[in-house]
Amino acid sequence: MADIKWIKLSVEMFDDEKIKLIRSMPEGNAIIVVWIQLLSLAGKTNDSGMIYIARHMAYSEEMLATIFNHPLNVIRLALQTLQSFGLIEVNPEGVINISNWEKHQSTDKMARMKEQARIRQQKHYYRNRLRELGVNVDEEGFTDDLDKLKELFNEHEEPNVRQTLPNALEVRSKKEEVRSKKIEGRSKKDIAPAVENKTRKTKHGEFDNVLLTDDELAKLKERFPNDLQQRIERLSDYVASTGKAYKSHYATIISWAKKDTVQQPKKQVNSDWEKEMQELME
């Protein structure tokens, strides 16, 4: 995500009915301070008002108490109050989402910055893949245009038959072989279309690089009804940025989910959370 350096606050904020009611409550002013701190943290996360450390790790109440420098009971009261007034939402995984986030940020600018970050990631992905194919992408003057990088990648990954076969005879032989395979493939398709539909994989994720069959997707929806898309995007981002290949994306999503369960941080006293936060920031 691109960095966001500011958020918008209305000059009429303290005339808002909800804000007035909250301020009249016990610890009301402290709750408003927590509210503004949450807005600031959502701006830093820069993901449509969501607040998290990483896509698979939410902030706990203890973490927020450490970061915001408030007693734990104030944080708990603030989250309950803000949620009851509809200012925030908390999903089952503990991820906080600011309601009506567009009021506090220029969503058009954020969308542009997100698109720029996406393009940078794609450029990084294709440059790495070309480098693996032996192309010197680091030479001076090498193209930085995304479309040209894609075109170069496609040319090197799937070379034209005329460039790889030495003469017309071999070309004709290759064409006949391809035609024969197509005919054989059509025959198999006519015989067992249901089997092919079950094994055909479709592309998912922002970079269209997470491959799942319809059956695998249905199983994952049943297993992760609330955050499957988030898990798919996490894998898509990782594959795009590292170029790593997996035999089964279905198995990888399940494997990561098991690891997340094992590595889920346990609640401890504040001093322990301070150590954990320090480790996360390093």
Side-chain angles (χ1 to χ4, degrees), residues 4-145:
I4 292 294
K5 300 299 183 183
W6 51 268
I7 58 173
K8 294 192 297 186
L9 293 176
S10 171
V11 295
E12 299 178 349
M13 172 182 175
F14 292 101
D15 295 326
D16 184 89
E17 185 180 77
K18 292 181 179 179
I19 299 300
K20 285 183 176 181
L21 290 172
I22 291 173
R23 292 188 68 194
S24 68
M25 301 170 63
E27 300 289 353
N29 286 332
I31 293 173
I32 296 302
V33 172
V34 172
W35 165 236
I36 296 174
Q37 288 175 305
L38 288 173
L39 291 176
S40 176
L41 195 53
K44 289 180 180 179
T45 306
N46 187 16
D47 190 0
S48 303
M50 290 196 293
I51 300 173
Y52 51 74
I53 298 175
R55 288 183 181 273
H56 63 289
M57 181 180 293
Y59 284 101
S60 67
E61 294 172 344
E62 289 83 356
M63 290 179 178
L64 291 175
T66 300
I67 295 171
F68 292 165
N69 196 25
H70 290 294
L72 181 58
N73 64 312
V74 170
I75 294 296
R76 287 174 175 166
L77 177 61
L79 294 179
Q80 292 171 2
T81 303
L82 295 172
Q83 194 170 3
S84 66
F85 275 85
L87 296 176
I88 64 172
E89 298 173 356
V90 182
N91 70 17
E93 286 72 38
V95 175
I96 300 171
N97 185 52
I98 304 294
S99 304
N100 300 318
W101 173 243
E102 62 276 5
K103 290 170 55 179
H104 307 285
Q105 185 53 265
S106 174
T107 52
D108 290 341
K109 182 177 179 181
M110 290 177 66
R112 287 196 302 270
M113 296 179 74
K114 187 174 182 179
E115 175 64 11
Q116 290 170 357
R118 183 187 69 81
I119 291 174
R120 282 196 300 272
Q121 276 192 315
Q122 282 197 321
K123 287 181 180 179
H124 179 73
Y125 168 75
Y126 283 110
R127 290 175 74 90
N128 278 345
R129 294 302 304 274
L130 285 168
R131 190 180 287 109
E132 291 172 1
L133 293 170
V135 179
N136 185 10
V137 299
D138 302 310
E139 67 178 347
E140 185 176 354
F142 193 85
T143 182
D144 192 47
D145 181 78

Side-chain angles (χ1 to χ4, degrees), residues 226-267:
N226 298 318
D227 64 341
L228 174 58
Q229 190 57 39
Q230 181 178 327
R231 295 177 183 276
I232 290 175
E233 293 300 340
R234 176 186 171 196
L235 178 55
S236 180
D237 290 350
Y238 184 79
V239 172
S241 62
T242 64
K244 189 169 183 178
Y246 293 95
K247 290 184 179 179
S248 169
H249 291 163
Y250 169 74
T252 301
I253 291 173
I254 292 178
S255 175
W256 283 10
K258 291 178 180 178
K259 292 179 181 178
D260 289 344
T261 302
V262 173
Q263 296 173 358
Q264 185 68 26
K266 298 180 180 179
K267 293 186 177 181

Side-chain angles (χ1 to χ4, degrees), residues 165-176:
L165 298 177
N167 55 57
L169 182 61
E170 288 182 336
V171 171
R172 188 160 51 251
S173 175
K174 186 67 176 180
K175 287 182 177 178
E176 290 175 355

Side-chain angles (χ1 to χ4, degrees), residues 159-166 170:
N160 191 285
V161 172
R162 288 190 297 273
Q163 296 174 332
T164 57
L165 298 177
E170 288 182 336

